[in-house]
Amino acid sequence: MNLGLFSTKTLVETAPDHPCEVRTQRLFNVEETLDAQGQKTWKQESTRTTTTIAKYAHYQASSFQESLAAETGKSKEQFQKSLAKSSAAPQPTQVKTVSTTSATQVKGGVSRDSDSDSSSSSSGGKKKSKMIKFGTNVDLSDRHKWKDQLVELHKLPKWLNVTWAGNGLSHLGHTVLGMNSVQLYMKIPGCRTPAHQENLNLCSVNFNIGPGDCEWFAIPDQYWGELYRLCQKNNVDYLSGAYWPLPEDLFKAKIPLYRFTQKPGDMVFISPGAPHWVQATGWCNNIAWNTAPLDVDVFKLAIERYEFNKLQSYKSIVPMVHLCWNLAKNVKLKDEALHSLIKYVCMKSLQHTGRIENLMSSKGKHIVWHGRQDEDAPHYCFSCELEVFNILFVREVEKQHVVYCIDCALKISPILDGFVILREHLTDSLSQTYDSYELQSESAVSEVVHSLLTFNPQPSTPQAVH
Ligand SMILES: [Fe+2]
Ligand SMILES: [Zn+2]
């Protein structure tokens, strides 16, 4: 594969004015984050602005040049000092690590001395650390603008492809940026992606384009509850907050931690629900997207998170009910457990529609036929951000028609005054999809996907797939 198509040089040549989100962060040692008082914290603060690919590319290149000049100057100085003292060769900068993977990169790595020039990298220091910029969430979904790049990705094995029949996200019918489309990340040393699980616990595919490395941390999905508790203890919101877990806190809580280096050309495949966080140790670009292999374990975790998000009032950007109906309509499954799970979600959705219909008729409210086009984006409640499937409660807010879920609509007006109630699907058509949704006899989805998802290396083994 020609990953050079995603190099900064090619990106600038292809679309210099393409937007690039910027996260301005403080530079810290990979193992810790310090607050304004110099105390260790889990909070990962950043501010958000936007720029263009060309402008970020300029920043990325200048940062590399500056570091190179500093390193060259320092080497000369150290060499002269060592000569004057008649001592042995200069000692490399010492960096403490929690595993055998060294955080120090000789080539293209964080200059540890420049760390200490601009910040106190040890606890208790009060000097402010250097500010760095992370170019993030660059949208590469445009098939015309990024044709060469997207075509190149077709060379990947099918199960890693952004779009293919065995990927649930390919059946959504609309684009969810960064999930069923490619996103690009442009980095200098120290740029951090805070800890997170993927949306709905789905899988993610991440390539390091290089030239520098990235350092990854990950914990098995079974420990997410422990991580949730540690987040509460450290005053960060598990779902919406930005945090960088301190390795020592994870060890104390007996949470196994994977730590590994992603070299240029390495792909990291994050299995369902595994929390992970990443820091660039060199100058590099990454590309990433999500996949939802049609596998029962993937969908169990996804539905579990969909329900958990509802309890936490956190928006699920993958509309699971809409997705399950699309899968029931379009995909013949051979996996009995997955088939039953999807059918169950459809059944609950039918029951929910039935309850709303009964309630509306008891209130003497008419549900107006509205219908929907396949490419229409699914609806979310304006108030609670819950997915609203089929029956929409629509009201005018500031001269715009907005959709509510039934609960929020009833909270606003128990008699639904000012609401128009719309129907997107005919009950007969949903019932027919449900009744005709049958199992196929043999597994359509490659066994490879299942064996990969159940692959469970020991914590000392990197999860990167080369
Ligand atoms: Fe991720
Ligand atoms: Zn609502």
Side-chain angles (χ1 to χ4, degrees):
M1 265 178 72
N2 178 12
L3 290 181
L5 288 167
F6 300 93
S7 69
T8 300
K9 183 175 177 285
T10 313
L11 296 166
V12 172
E13 283 164 6
T14 310
D17 298 327
H18 195 71
C20 170
E21 185 181 317
V22 174
R23 292 285 181 162
T24 304
Q25 310 170 327
R26 292 197 178 279
L27 175 67
F28 292 110
N29 179 311
V30 75
E31 282 167 30
E32 63 184 21
T33 312
L34 304 176
D35 63 17
Q37 282 72 44
Q39 299 300 311
K40 286 186 184 182
T41 176
W42 274 43
K43 279 191 186 135
Q44 171 68 48
E45 288 175 347
S46 71
T47 51
R48 189 158 89 175
T49 50
T50 48
T51 186
T52 62
I53 284 185
K55 283 181 186 158
Y56 189 86
H58 178 72
Y59 168 78
Q60 198 182 32
S62 317
S63 145
F64 181 75
Q65 294 297 341
E66 276 167 29
S67 178
L68 202 65
E71 282 294 314
T72 314
K74 196 165 44 190
S75 301
K76 270 188 195 161
E77 199 183 308
Q78 276 184 331
F79 182 67
Q80 279 160 358
K81 268 186 197 166
S82 67
L83 274 183
K85 286 181 184 170
S86 306
S87 63
Q91 293 298 305
T93 313
Q94 293 297 309
V95 178
K96 51 174 184 163
T97 55
V98 290
S99 76
T100 52
T101 313
S102 167
T104 317
Q105 297 287 314
V106 178
K107 190 180 151 202
V110 175
S111 162
R112 295 295 161 188
D113 278 2
S114 70
D115 249 15
S116 53
D117 285 347
S118 53
S119 72
S120 166
S121 55
S122 60
S123 315
K126 284 194 179 173
K127 233 171 148 187
K128 289 264 181 184
S129 51
K130 185 179 163 186
M131 301 305 288
I132 53 167
K133 290 177 180 179
F134 177 12
T136 182
N137 298 339
V138 182
D139 166 28
L140 302 192
S141 66
D142 189 323
R143 283 166 207 270
H144 302 290
K145 206 185 256 184
W146 305 107
K147 184 170 169 274
D148 294 348
Q149 284 75 11
L150 299 178
V151 166
E152 190 68 11
L153 294 179
H154 291 160
K155 291 181 185 168
L156 286 169
K158 221 175 186 184
W159 61 274
L160 289 175
N161 267 231
V162 185
T163 309
W164 80 287
N167 177 0
L169 293 173
S170 300
H171 297 277
L172 269 175
H174 66 285
T175 304
V176 182
L177 291 179
M179 292 201 72
N180 56 8
S181 74
V182 181
Q183 269 182 343
L184 166 86
Y185 303 86
M186 301 175 80
K187 306 175 182 179
I188 69 160
C191 287
R192 282 180 173 182
T193 302
H196 63 283
Q197 288 172 298
E198 295 303 309
N199 286 305
L200 294 196
N201 283 332
L202 297 175
C203 307
S204 84
V205 178
N206 183 304
F207 278 90
N208 183 6
I209 306 302
D213 297 347
C214 284
E215 182 144 24
W216 284 68
F217 297 84
I219 62 177
D221 77 281
Q222 306 92 291
Y223 291 88
W224 80 267
E226 281 299 316
L227 187 64
Y228 181 90
R229 275 183 281 279
L230 285 177
C231 281
Q232 284 183 315
K233 214 171 128 185
N234 286 284
N235 297 317
V236 285
D237 186 82
Y238 182 75
L239 292 173
S240 63
Y243 49 93
W244 188 261
L246 284 169
E248 64 235 46
D249 291 344
L250 301 177
F251 294 149
K252 266 184 234 150
K254 296 193 166 46
I255 300 175
L257 177 65
Y258 294 79
R259 181 174 179 171
F260 55 92
T261 300
Q262 182 192 30
K263 296 263 173 205
D266 283 354
M267 182 199 79
V268 174
F269 183 83
I270 291 291
S271 56
H276 54 283
W277 52 107
V278 189
Q279 179 162 330
T281 47
W283 287 263
C284 60
N285 293 346
N286 289 65
I287 49 168
W289 57 91
N290 290 109
T291 68
L294 296 176
D295 180 278
V296 68
D297 294 334
V298 173
F299 275 77
K300 259 189 202 161
L301 281 183
I303 290 165
E304 189 183 292
R305 178 50 49 92
Y306 182 80
E307 293 301 325
F308 183 71
N309 284 349
K310 279 191 205 169
L311 296 173
Q312 302 274 314
S313 302
Y314 184 75
K315 184 177 178 178
S316 293
I317 62 170
V318 175
M320 189 47 94
V321 176
H322 166 83
L323 175 60
C324 285
W325 278 110
N326 276 3
L327 291 172
K329 244 187 288 177
N330 304 325
V331 183
K332 282 273 176 233
L333 285 174
K334 296 170 181 176
D335 176 340
E336 195 177 345
L338 179 60
H339 173 263
S340 307
L341 190 61
I342 290 169
K343 201 151 181 167
Y344 178 76
V345 173
C346 294
M347 182 192 70
K348 298 300 280 182
S349 152
L350 270 179
Q351 286 175 345
H352 186 61
T353 294
R355 276 196 299 272
I356 296 175
E357 285 168 343
N358 290 342
L359 187 68
M360 291 307 107
S361 71
S362 74
K363 284 180 178 287
K365 290 282 175 185
H366 181 57
I367 303 177
V368 183
W369 169 248
H370 180 63
R372 80 186 299 281
Q373 302 297 317
D374 277 349
E375 62 279 6
D376 284 354
H379 299 285
Y380 286 92
C381 174
F382 182 69
S383 177
C384 72
E385 299 206 293
L386 199 81
E387 177 190 359
V388 185
F389 179 79
N390 193 17
I391 312 281
L392 317 175
F393 292 80
V394 182
R395 191 171 79 122
E396 205 178 287
V397 176
E398 289 167 4
K399 293 186 181 162
Q400 286 206 320
H401 288 101
V402 295
V403 172
Y404 290 86
C405 71
I406 182 168
D407 293 335
C408 291
L410 289 171
K411 264 182 227 157
I412 292 166
S413 166
I415 54 160
L416 296 170
D417 191 27
F419 280 93
V420 176
I421 307 153
L422 302 177
R423 179 195 298 280
E424 289 198 298
H425 302 271
L426 294 169
T427 304
D428 279 357
S429 139
L430 290 176
S431 300
Q432 205 210 337
T433 302
Y434 181 82
D435 290 338
S436 59
Y437 183 42
E438 282 171 1
L439 192 65
Q440 248 190 6
S441 50
E442 299 247 320
S443 179
V445 181
S446 164
E447 293 285 313
V448 176
V449 172
H450 189 81
S451 59
L452 189 94
L453 295 170
T454 50
F455 173 63
N456 188 18
Q458 291 309 301
S460 57
T461 313
Q463 265 188 302
V465 181
H466 299 282

